[in-house]
Amino acid sequence: MSNRVGIEVSIAVAEAVGLCDVDVVAAYPITPQTHIVEHLADLVAEGKLNAEYIAVESEHSAISAVMGASATGGRAFTATASQGLALMHEILFAVSSLRLPVVMAVANRAVSAPINIWADLSDVMPQRDTGWVQLFAENGQEAYDLMVQAFRLAEDHRVLLPVMVNLDGFTLSHMIEPITMMERNEVRRFLPPIEPARLLDPDHPRSIGPFGAQDVYTEAKMQQEMALLRSQEVMEEIWQDFEAQFGRRYHAVESYRTGDAEVVLVTMGAVSETARAAVDEMRAQGIAVGLVRIRMWRPLPQEELRQALEGAKVVAVLDRMLTPGGTGGPVGEALRSIFYDAPVRPRIYEVVAGLGGREINRRTFKEIVRQALAGQEQVRQFTFLDVRCA
Amino acid sequence: MMEIRFHGRGGQGAVTAAELMAQAAILDGKYAQAFPNFGPERRGAPVTAFLRVSDQPIYLREKIESPDTVVVLDPTLIDLVNVADGLKPGGMLVMNLAASGRGALAKYGDQFQVAVVDASRIAVETIGIPVTNTAILGSLIKACGITSLKTMEGPMERRFGRLAAKNLLALQRAFEETEVLAAPAAPSPADAPVVQEPCTYAELLQREALLVWDQLQIGCDIDRPGSTAAFHTGNWRSAGRPFIDRDKCISCGFCHVYCPDLAMNFTDDGAIEWDHRYCKGCGICAEECPKGAISMREESHEQ
Ligand code: SF4
Ligand code: SF4
């Protein structure tokens, strides 16, 4: 228990990155990511972390700098949020396509306009198709642990892909909560020094990022996709090792009280803990409700999700982002796709809620479940749960 | 519908030829489509262009795999690429070939119809340079119809302005001088309702892909340093090369820095030397030389 401390999650995340012996951090501050990179800057300035901290002029440069650092064989980290992540968009494709094991923390925040600095997933969801592994933390301990696991996954030679660790802005990033901290030597045992699969080295010249015309582009994409799909089993292996060493167990998809559940809630990120509390309260009232939480969003653990949800009558999805003009939110769409070919399909009841930091609490989940169980038909494929109407 | 593939070298006007013919066919009230083979643009490298002409609207946006007719603008291509690839049995080959080169036709004669003309000579005699793209259209019209010499006037005038008259003369002369050689009976399009694909889809992929996906380097890297040295961009050169006036050159090295293909280099004693293997004839060095020491001239002019 000696390592259990009350600490702000952003600071803990920065400490975890420090324990990973990163070589390069390049970042541009943006709320609510700021505390993560400020603390890393402190660690470097105080000589506690032997890394190069590059204070760049924009997020586009931040991701470009860590991409270059990674190509030279260094362990590289950046963090951002919202508009900053949007500004990185172009380079995110290059990092994954060049198979560079960069790790990034994203303190999820709404995107403008109106200007809004609070949590939702509309910054990360447009990055869904950039080829990064995407993980979502539920609490501070998990955000902390995922940072260390992320480097090991990214650098595994069967994967060699960048990893994005998402933590909800403020409701997770700025919370003070108990976190069991790891020791540097423990982390070193879990995460060996980086062994680049290949690197920019003047003594062994090579071209990283050359031209690839019609005759080779598809093959390059296939190779990348196979690595991304493979990352799921490598992650499971890493989570087993992590449990063996640290005693905490993680899965790509987690189920809570779903055994006999008639309605199963599906969530991502920090709202999941609140959802669990709501499930307990509803269970106490005799409502057969459970919860499935998606920790790994890319690659999407399709088989695990199908198995976790196949017994339910209704799957009630909370999407914290709208796909404008489309068929709902990204999680709802994914689940409908997963079940389209299944012999028995649960009804999928999707709500979009919690945009721009609008409060999500136990009553939110109780209302979702009430509507889902009432058998209320959705007029569209989704419902705006918490919008004010005349 | 008639499908035609043009073979030329980058800069010779194969794409322009296909476009001019398409414009004429459209003026005739037909439907037509002209397009290049979309790829890296390279002067002098073998290129293809495509033309479809039809009485009905065309609902295809793919390359032509099995042309009815193939047009070859440059006789040197016959040894480099299989110009008859996918050509329908009994289809038409329209070739620019000097009388002395007719032996090359032996390998095509029993399978295809051949129309032959010395378009290079006609072009030199009419236009003044060996650019054959307008002359060869005269042969194509003679061999396949498609449009008339008369209809070609409008598109040619719009395209070439004051040079149109010379090009129209080339067109006219090629039309007159084209010989359509005795040929096997061509199956009429109505006799061939089933589309015969020249190879299976899997074979097509094998033909196009360089490496299968799991043989590529991680991230599509290239791990052989300097591998582009094997790539002689000098082959692309078609319209002149730089000549250095040694009396004006001050060895400033601007041409060395600006040359996109490292074709201007310093010798051990500090002089600038031109490398024919990589110079693609872009003329940037001549543009950038502060002393006006570089001039772009025809290859045949000796320094
Ligand atoms: S740029 Fe002109 S003057 Fe300078 S080295 Fe080249 S040829 Fe000579
Ligand atoms: S023309 Fe001049 S600049 Fe262009 S490739 Fe040749 S040497 Fe280089």
Side-chain angles (χ1 to χ4, degrees), chain B residues 134-148:
Chain B
T134 45
I136 205 79
L137 290 179
S139 300
L140 180 58
I141 293 170
K142 173 85 156 277
C144 303
I146 302 175
T147 184
S148 64

Side-chain angles (χ1 to χ4, degrees), chain A residues 97-99 160 197-198 205-216 219-220 222-223 226, chain B residues 37-40 63 208-225:
Chain A
S97 304
L98 299 182
R99 310 287 302 278
L160 293 170
R198 88 303 193 199
R206 64 160 51 228
S207 299
I208 296 184
F211 181 70
Q214 299 99 320
D215 52 11
V216 78
E219 283 69 26
M222 172 83 174
Q223 188 195 63
M226 293 309 279
Chain B
N37 184 22
F38 299 104
K63 287 182 204 171
E208 300 233 321
L210 302 173
L211 285 174
V212 304
W213 69 269
D214 58 356
Q215 289 171 349
L216 286 185
Q217 293 275 319
I218 288 279
C220 213
D221 285 8
I222 294 172
D223 66 345
R224 277 182 303 138

Side-chain angles (χ1 to χ4, degrees), chain B residues 221-264:
Chain B
D221 285 8
I222 294 172
D223 66 345
R224 277 182 303 138
S227 58
T228 48
F231 195 50
H232 288 179
T233 45
N235 293 340
W236 304 357
R237 209 166 60 240
S238 59
R241 52 157 280 200
F243 288 88
I244 305 166
D245 182 341
R246 303 267 160 213
D247 296 333
K248 291 187 186 164
C249 173
I250 55 166
S251 294
C252 67
F254 275 32
C255 53
H256 171 68
V257 170
Y258 280 102
C259 173
D261 285 278
L262 281 179
M264 286 289 191

Side-chain angles (χ1 to χ4, degrees), chain A residues 89-371:
Chain A
H89 183 71
E90 176 196 357
I91 309 298
L92 297 182
F93 293 97
V95 180
S96 60
S97 304
L98 299 182
R99 310 287 302 278
L100 295 170
V102 166
V103 170
M104 166 156 69
V106 180
N108 300 119
R109 161 186 154 183
V111 288
S112 296
I115 295 172
N116 179 299
I117 59 168
W118 294 278
D120 73 23
L121 301 186
S122 44
D123 57 355
V124 63
M125 285 302 174
Q127 320 308 326
R128 183 188 61 183
D129 298 340
T130 55
W132 286 53
V133 174
Q134 296 178 10
L135 306 169
F136 284 79
E138 175 180 70
N139 57 36
Q141 185 70 56
E142 188 174 329
Y144 178 82
D145 291 349
L146 282 181
M147 293 321 306
V148 179
Q149 297 159 2
F151 281 108
R152 193 161 134 186
L153 178 67
E155 293 165 10
D156 190 294
H157 283 203
R158 293 165 291 175
V159 177
L160 293 170
L161 284 170
V163 180
M164 199 182 282
V165 177
N166 292 276
L167 55 154
D168 296 53
F170 296 108
T171 50
L172 183 50
S173 67
H174 284 51
M175 286 285 193
I176 311 289
E177 56 185 79
I179 293 177
T180 300
M181 310 291 274
M182 297 179 240
E183 299 284 353
R184 187 169 288 263
N185 56 5
E186 289 178 326
V187 172
R188 282 187 179 156
R189 192 148 63 83
F190 177 77
L191 175 70
I194 185 168
E195 272 183 44
R198 88 303 193 199
L199 66 162
L200 287 179
D201 172 2
D203 293 332
H204 302 95
R206 64 160 51 228
S207 299
I208 296 184
F211 181 70
Q214 299 99 320
D215 52 11
V216 78
Y217 189 84
T218 307
E219 283 69 26
K221 291 294 121 179
M222 172 83 174
Q223 188 195 63
Q224 190 186 339
E225 176 67 359
M226 293 309 279
L228 185 57
L229 293 176
R230 194 156 53 229
S231 70
Q232 192 189 337
E233 67 190 57
V234 177
M235 190 80 238
E236 291 293 348
E237 198 180 293
I238 291 169
W239 278 330
Q240 275 171 28
D241 284 2
F242 190 86
E243 183 187 25
Q245 196 181 332
F246 297 100
R248 293 185 290 277
R249 183 66 172 125
Y250 292 102
H251 296 279
V253 169
E254 285 187 2
S255 300
Y256 182 68
R257 300 186 81 165
T258 52
D260 60 340
E262 216 178 311
V263 53
V264 176
L265 286 160
V266 179
T267 57
M268 278 169 85
V271 297
S272 308
E273 292 198 326
T274 311
R276 193 172 322 184
V279 164
D280 286 340
E281 290 184 8
M282 286 184 274
R283 280 279 181 181
Q285 295 167 344
I287 301 169
V289 56
L291 171 70
V292 161
R293 204 244 309 178
I294 302 172
R295 177 178 284 119
M296 180 176 245
W297 169 239
R298 281 297 180 275
L300 188 68
Q302 303 184 35
E303 189 49 32
E304 287 77 358
L305 278 168
R306 203 184 52 74
Q307 280 173 18
L309 296 169
E310 66 188 350
K313 274 209 196 79
V314 190
V315 169
V317 187
L318 169 67
D319 251 311
R320 249 189 136 177
M321 184 227 172
L322 176 69
T323 306
T327 54
V331 183
E333 286 180 350
L335 293 177
R336 279 188 217 103
S337 290
I338 287 173
F339 281 104
Y340 185 80
D341 287 326
V344 181
R345 283 178 286 199
R347 197 158 72 83
I348 293 179
Y349 189 81
E350 183 184 358
V351 305
V352 171
L355 300 184
R358 179 158 291 189
E359 177 76 350
I360 290 185
N361 55 28
R362 282 167 295 167
R363 295 188 55 169
T364 313
F365 293 108
K366 289 176 187 171
E367 177 61 14
I368 298 170
V369 169
R370 189 193 65 75
Q371 291 183 7

Side-chain angles (χ1 to χ4, degrees), chain B residues 1-5 7 51-53 60 62-71 82-94 107-114 144 183-199:
Chain B
M1 178 164 63
M2 177 172 272
E3 295 187 308
I4 302 168
R5 185 175 67 220
H7 287 272
L51 170 66
R52 285 193 177 94
V53 181
L60 273 177
E62 57 178 40
K63 287 182 204 171
I64 294 169
E65 265 189 56
S66 309
D68 303 285
T69 298
V70 166
V71 180
N82 177 13
V83 294
D85 188 31
L87 180 59
K88 291 199 180 108
M92 173 67 78
L93 263 169
V94 180
K107 58 177 169 178
Y108 305 113
D110 54 347
Q111 282 172 283
F112 309 112
Q113 312 176 70
V114 178
C144 303
S188 75
D191 294 343
V194 181
V195 178
Q196 281 297 325
E197 273 152 13
C199 64

